[in-house]
Amino acid sequence: MNEFDFIKQLREQVGQRKHPPRLIAGIGDDAAIIRPTSQRDLVVTTDLLIEGVDFHRYATPPSLLGHKALAVSLSDIAGMGARPCWAFLSFGMPRDTWNGPGRDQFVAGFLQLADTFGVTLAGGDISATEEKIVIDSIVLGEVAAGNAVLRSGARPGDQIYVTGNLGGAAAGLKLIELGARVESQSKPGVRPSPLGRGQGEGGEAIATGSSVQSEERSIQSLLLRQLSPSPRVGWGIVLGEERLATAMIDISDGLSSDLHHLCAESNAGALVEADAIPLDEDVKHLCGRRALDPLMLALHGGEDFELLFTVAPENVSRLPKRVDGVAISHIGEINDQTATVTIREKNHEWNLLPGGFEHFKE
Amino acid sequence: MNEFDFIKQLREQVGQRKHPPRLIAGIGDDAAIIRPTSQRDLVVTTDLLIEGVDFHRYATPPSLLGHKALAVSLSDIAGMGARPCWAFLSFGMPRDTWNGPGRDQFVAGFLQLADTFGVTLAGGDISATEEKIVIDSIVLGEVAAGNAVLRSGARPGDQIYVTGNLGGAAAGLKLIELGARVESQSKPGVRPSPLGRGQGEGGEAIATGSSVQSEERSIQSLLLRQLSPSPRVGWGIVLGEERLATAMIDISDGLSSDLHHLCAESNAGALVEADAIPLDEDVKHLCGRRALDPLMLALHGGEDFELLFTVAPENVSRLPKRVDGVAISHIGEINDQTATVTIREKNHEWNLLPGGFEHFKE
């Protein structure tokens, strides 16, 4: 199949889904045409995923790769307090992958997550590559004009919150590096899904049976935290619509790095309580047996794709307890120590330096 | 320099340029925020360029690569009859390129072309790669609501036009494959610029001096047609604003392929006059000495990034002769022979089959 036939097939596939009325033209022309809504701002993000750097093919089933490519962009839209509407997918793959089952599985994973959140694939581009898979995922969302939540709005006294729990994705990456692999998708209980288990409240409910079984379940859960992240779309929409957050960022680089970004943009600092940071239950479960420190993973591990946000004191009581089953944790407070993040652990305080992932270390 | 410092620097660089007032937030947050204009549709395109497939580093100066990455997307926006407004740039490069002069030259080439057309770089993403450069360029444009020109609007009797002339970019690619290289950018007369010479009206004005010099000038001109294309932004805006075109596509795959795309979408056919197809003067100049057939290059060579459009008979007299110095040629007529393109050359007619580039040949 050449790319023109593939695009034609994809267009029919997408056309059978429900189209939002404001997509005037989608796949199949030089560009897509979108009719914006008056009184709404448009929010645009793009995320590049490179094989060998951002993911490893040997550890990533194609459907999960498609899922993750979209999930990371949905997380950025959530981080703005906006609602995702339209997606664009550019990808390049070598000819053997194109001609095998991986191509359609990859696209199916992308479309399944898009359907979950009512997002329409509106366009993209395709190229061959010599060897590596490359993906660029673009998502456009909408938010009531002026309601987008920037990184720069935090003020001293604002309370700091984080959705879900942290460290699971980084632990999953370490497990992959140690040789762990996600089980077959056909096996019940570990089937990857857009809203996979072990998120929000951890995996306690399934940690039954023998110790070996329970360890294996935690491993699978953590692999899915890394390979099949759940963007906090619902929380993003609520925080934007209700004007609850003063500043927000999604945790892609790691809590320490992303809190520094937020503080730098807000010209403020933060004090974080170590005991309040929500640690992943599966990480805690495994940490005694493997060289994983749950707090370090939660602070510096990236790709959890949870939301980190600040709330003015007078609005704290208006915060919902959960959205889509995902709880939040109150982890600290914004202060006037510009660009300084302090962490308090029991009786001592220390400076939390950004320790997240960098593509180009100095 | 790590990517965070680079993004900070880029943000300051872009911030010093004139911002359109409707970019609420650009580089530096989870996503960009754009305030749409009421009564205008948004047009979105994305183009992926992969090293070794879509370009070769040894033949492509970084500044021209940045130029071309944006140019191909601007051409898509022009192909919709829209005005380009905002660009997003995702790229990955190996660490040695990142740490050398290529990174900044690449970005400078992109920004120089953006400035030419009043387009603002509003965001993007950066990744490392192990070896190859990959680029995804995304451009958003605007057009009066309902005025976007689709591929599907051509009707029997509509007249077919093309901007500029054809075959130069494909000839340039062949010359690269034969070992020709673009001369130093510091040499006057062949300095690549966003609106480089040899476009629109060919290179006659500079084809002086000895035969060897004139051949070398034609070679340089054709290399720039391939490496530094000029998107027909002005023509796109005029054709959209004046509602002159019934259908339009930009010639990226090749005239034969792109005319087939337009006819298939319009459920129509076309008759093209071979003698009317505007051939690149430099290709004609060189064709006697090298194995280049100007008509075949014009029909099947891709990447000219000219506009192919159709006009209802009653509107032909309203067409401007030139826009931004670029003329148009009347090359044929739409008929009711669905998905069939016939070409008439002197006394005989033949079926023109799509012969353009495919990434994944069957």
Side-chain angles (χ1 to χ4, degrees), chain B residues 16 66 218 277 288 295 320:
Chain B
Q16 286 159 5
S218 284
I277 293 171
L295 182 60

Side-chain angles (χ1 to χ4, degrees), chain B residues 291-314:
Chain B
L292 301 173
D293 177 340
L295 182 60
M296 286 303 114
L297 286 174
L299 289 174
H300 304 301
E303 301 202 280
D304 280 319
F305 298 107
E306 298 293 349
L307 297 176
L308 173 68
F309 60 97
T310 57
V311 179
E314 64 271 24

Side-chain angles (χ1 to χ4, degrees), chain A residues 107 176 242 325:
Chain A
V107 173
I176 287 170
E242 305 290 327

